[in-house]
Amino acid sequence: MVEIHGECTSGFTPVREAFAANFAEGRELGAAVCVYRDGRPVVNLWAGDTGPGGAPWRSGTIAPIASATKGMVAAAAMILVDRGQLDLDAPVAAYWPEFAAEGKDRIPVRWVLGHRSGVVAFDPPLTIDDIERGTPVADALAAARPVWEPGRGHGYHSLTMGWLVGEIVRRVTGLSVGRFFAKEVASPLGLDLHLGLPAYEEENLATLVWPTPQQVAAGRRDPAFAELNSALRDPSSLLYRSTYGSVELTDGILEDVRVFRAEVPSCGGVGNAESLARMYAALIGEVDGVRLVRPETADRARAVESRGLDLVLRCHTCYGRGFMLPGGPMWPDPGMPAAFGHPGATGAFAYADPDTRLAFAYVPNRMSELIEGGDDRVLRLMRAAHACATALPAPG
């Protein structure tokens, strides 16, 4: 039996039991889960190893979080909205004039955050040198032609969303989105959460382990993923073009430390579950005197921007302003209609739920069998946390 470390309050014991069950069933290598309620941690657990034959997972272990990084970028954008420095309805070109090329002059900021801009792929694909230099990425996005009429549909901006929002943040603040996040989010909250991995943290980084072909096949057996699976094998599909076809280093994009050192704001974040949960808690309430945005701004962040058939993923998805919302196979739990967050292909998942005053995060190093997470391991943890929160009496 794997030893479970950390703390769990009595009202959330089912979360610990679900976490232990994941290990007992052989579904984990190493992982951590953290839950905040009303701005305070009620679950903070970790277990397993940092890699095959590696050191034990510790409280300070960090891991890649893949597209859960988009939640960090969305938080940065909504902080600027909260401060009146960024207008969701303003054209992106008002902040980034070069973006107006190829008919993109009327695309509002909220369409980028809501995956409606149609700017989803790089052609030619990016290299690691492009990513490290940064400017070639922004130039390519500015020159890109949308692959559908902006605003007429939505489709997951797998890699482009983070760089699009990151360039808007840079134009508004003069800081890269990674530096802005470090200054305005990570520092005041004391987070071990990074977009641009510092050298001193590399020794704490867990090693990712890919799911087996059998696990992938089992995870994608849901008929809701049938078209997605077909698109992954079709080089002409938008899903393929926006992922494998957009970067030359795809096979190692979630393992290459050069990518984590650089800023890849759609999928290059690293951190731990405690920090992710703490960030989301500060989006919906006060955490040790820090609140990132006002309640009305959090409501705007979770307002539905896009819902229905995803033109890229070819399944039902729902998005707010930079955050994924429940609905569809990526986040199938309908029991938390006010929640907003984001999963990642590494299996990471984090969200806030204003209705239950809950913030949740899970970070493993055994990657998900699904393209954007939301697998059974994390769903059982999320459902346990939700059930515990709803069973507790209201404050006061």
Side-chain angles (χ1 to χ4, degrees):
M1 295 292 292
V2 172
E3 184 177 358
I4 308 297
H5 302 276
E7 299 179 350
C8 178
T9 62
S10 58
F12 284 82
T13 301
V15 178
R16 181 188 178 94
E17 293 171 349
F19 189 58
N22 282 342
F23 282 93
E25 294 169 9
R27 306 191 65 190
E28 299 284 21
L29 177 60
V33 61
C34 183
V35 181
Y36 270 62
R37 182 111 188 289
D38 293 322
R40 297 184 299 275
V42 291
V43 177
N44 189 18
L45 302 171
W46 60 92
D49 297 327
T50 58
W57 196 288
R58 300 176 293 107
S59 61
T61 297
I62 57 176
I65 61 173
S67 283
T69 308
K70 292 181 176 73
M72 298 165 61
V73 174
M78 294 310 297
I79 287 170
L80 294 178
V81 171
D82 191 71
R83 295 175 181 176
Q85 295 177 263
L86 183 62
D87 183 349
L88 290 172
D89 293 313
V92 173
Y95 306 100
W96 179 8
E98 297 88 343
F99 187 74
E102 297 291 349
K104 302 195 299 296
D105 54 303
R106 296 185 180 181
I107 294 175
V109 172
R110 61 185 177 87
W111 285 0
V112 170
L113 287 163
H115 301 266
R116 301 184 71 85
S117 80
V119 182
V120 298
F122 291 95
D123 186 17
L126 299 176
T127 66
I128 182 62
D129 290 335
D130 294 332
I131 292 169
E132 288 178 329
R133 289 164 58 201
T135 300
V137 180
D139 290 347
L141 292 170
R145 177 179 297 177
V147 299
W148 65 76
E149 183 180 344
R152 291 296 296 272
H154 79 278
Y156 189 48
H157 292 33
S158 307
L159 295 177
T160 58
M161 181 269 194
W163 276 308
L164 287 166
V165 177
E167 184 63 15
I168 295 169
V169 169
R170 189 182 73 81
R171 297 291 176 126
V172 172
T173 68
L175 298 173
S176 70
V177 67
R179 291 181 179 178
F180 180 82
F181 184 88
K183 177 183 177 184
E184 302 293 342
V185 182
S187 180
L189 286 168
L191 306 183
D192 199 354
L193 192 56
H194 311 277
L195 184 48
L197 179 66
Y200 67 83
E201 284 281 27
E202 291 180 14
E203 64 180 10
N204 297 320
L205 186 64
T207 301
L208 287 175
V209 177
W210 291 80
T212 66
Q214 293 79 10
Q215 289 169 329
V216 171
R220 295 181 181 169
R221 196 171 292 136
D222 187 334
F225 290 116
E227 288 194 45
L228 182 152
N229 291 330
S230 178
L232 275 176
R233 299 188 295 270
D234 179 4
S236 68
S237 73
L238 286 180
L239 177 54
Y240 192 99
R241 289 167 55 195
S242 67
T243 53
Y244 298 107
S246 282
V247 285
E248 291 186 355
L249 66 160
T250 299
D251 287 344
I253 194 169
L254 294 177
E255 299 167 307
D256 191 337
V257 73
R258 290 178 67 187
V259 173
F260 301 130
R261 291 171 183 161
E263 289 189 17
V264 184
S266 274
C267 61
V270 295
N272 56 38
E274 198 280 333
S275 293
L276 267 175
R278 188 173 174 86
M279 180 195 81
Y280 275 97
L283 285 171
I284 60 169
E286 190 172 293
V287 178
D288 293 335
V290 177
R291 180 163 191 157
L292 294 176
V293 296
R294 292 169 294 172
E296 55 266 35
T297 305
D299 288 342
R300 296 184 74 187
R302 64 185 179 88
V304 175
E305 187 67 44
S306 305
R307 175 186 285 155
L309 179 64
D310 191 296
L311 297 175
V312 174
L313 295 176
R314 306 303 304 172
C315 63
H316 183 100
T317 55
C318 189
Y319 303 104
R321 278 65 188 266
F323 298 98
M324 187 177 282
L325 308 178
M330 297 294 177
W331 191 347
D333 197 329
M336 47 184 80
F340 61 100
H342 219 288
T346 59
F349 206 130
Y351 70 89
D353 182 8
D355 282 353
T356 55
R357 308 180 311 282
L358 202 71
F360 171 97
Y362 163 75
V363 175
N365 63 345
R366 201 277 276 169
M367 290 183 64
S368 176
E369 57 266 25
L370 304 179
I371 189 170
E372 282 300 353
D375 60 45
D376 288 344
R377 295 175 301 170
V378 66
L379 290 179
R380 77 197 305 178
L381 295 170
M382 292 164 63
R383 288 165 180 159
H386 182 76
C388 292
T390 54
L392 292 173

